[in-house]
Amino acid sequence: MATKVRANMIITMLRMAEILAKRSTCSRRSVGAILLNKHNHIVGSGYNGVATGLPHCIEHSCKGANIASGKGLDICEAIHAEQNALMQCSDIFDIEAAFVTTSPCAHCIKMLMNTSCRDIYYIENYADIDSIKELWLMSGNRSITKVDI
């Protein structure tokens, strides 16, 4: 009988984030996020899209729909995947790790810095990744890692 190989936790969570990203209602970029606690239990999950009750950008483009991803954050109407995942957490000091399809923007990094999150894993670089990584690493014993899957 062949020995079963258990799936790697990091890859598993990033694949789950990819599935969540398919629910995105943003026409510019689809992003998914998973937040885990120290027991590897999901404490939050989310994808990017407009606030509840607004027309989805994939159906009715918002003002930022035709601007390159990473630009025009002030006019884009999407709530980021990390923000939506954080809104699901009953205790932000229970977060151990974040798994995101695209590295967090500066706003989301700052939000994650105000939690107990220690590690961020992501698949794709977002705009200005070097500054974002520097900001995250300045906050203490934390890691931010690009993962090829």
Side-chain angles (χ1 to χ4, degrees):
M1 180 184 221
T3 304
K4 183 177 178 179
V5 178
R6 191 171 187 198
N8 174 286
M9 181 60 74
I10 294 170
I11 300 299
T12 300
M13 290 302 113
L14 287 172
R15 291 279 187 215
M16 289 177 69
E18 284 182 315
I19 291 168
L20 280 173
K22 295 178 187 303
R23 294 282 303 148
S24 170
T25 63
C26 179
S27 61
R28 293 169 55 185
R29 179 186 292 269
S30 297
V31 180
I34 302 277
L35 303 175
L36 292 188
N37 68 13
K38 65 181 178 181
H39 302 290
N40 291 327
H41 295 169
I42 297 171
V43 294
S45 63
Y47 52 87
N48 62 324
V50 297
T52 302
L54 294 179
H56 298 305
C57 290
I58 55 176
E59 297 165 355
H60 302 283
S61 298
C62 75
K63 295 176 201 169
N66 296 317
I67 298 172
S69 182
K71 307 285 184 202
L73 292 177
D74 55 331
I75 60 171
C76 174
E77 295 177 11
I79 298 166
H80 290 191
E82 301 92 332
Q83 294 167 336
N84 278 320
L86 283 166
M87 290 178 66
Q88 288 185 0
C89 283
S90 60
D91 183 355
I92 60 168
F93 298 109
D94 196 25
I95 302 167
E96 187 75 18
F99 301 83
V100 193
T101 55
T102 304
S103 60
C105 70
H107 296 291
C108 290
I109 280 288
K110 289 184 240 179
M111 290 178 76
L112 287 166
M113 286 168 66
N114 270 358
T115 73
S116 60
C117 185
R118 298 265 100 349
D119 303 298
I120 299 173
Y121 301 93
Y122 66 94
I123 301 167
E124 181 182 335
N125 286 334
Y126 188 65
D128 201 20
I129 185 62
D130 293 332
S131 295
I132 291 166
K133 279 185 175 183
E134 183 179 342
L135 182 60
W136 179 254
L137 295 173
M138 282 185 346
S139 64
N141 185 19
R142 300 170 185 227
S143 69
I144 181 165
T145 307
K146 185 176 190 294
V147 179
D148 295 320
I149 60 172

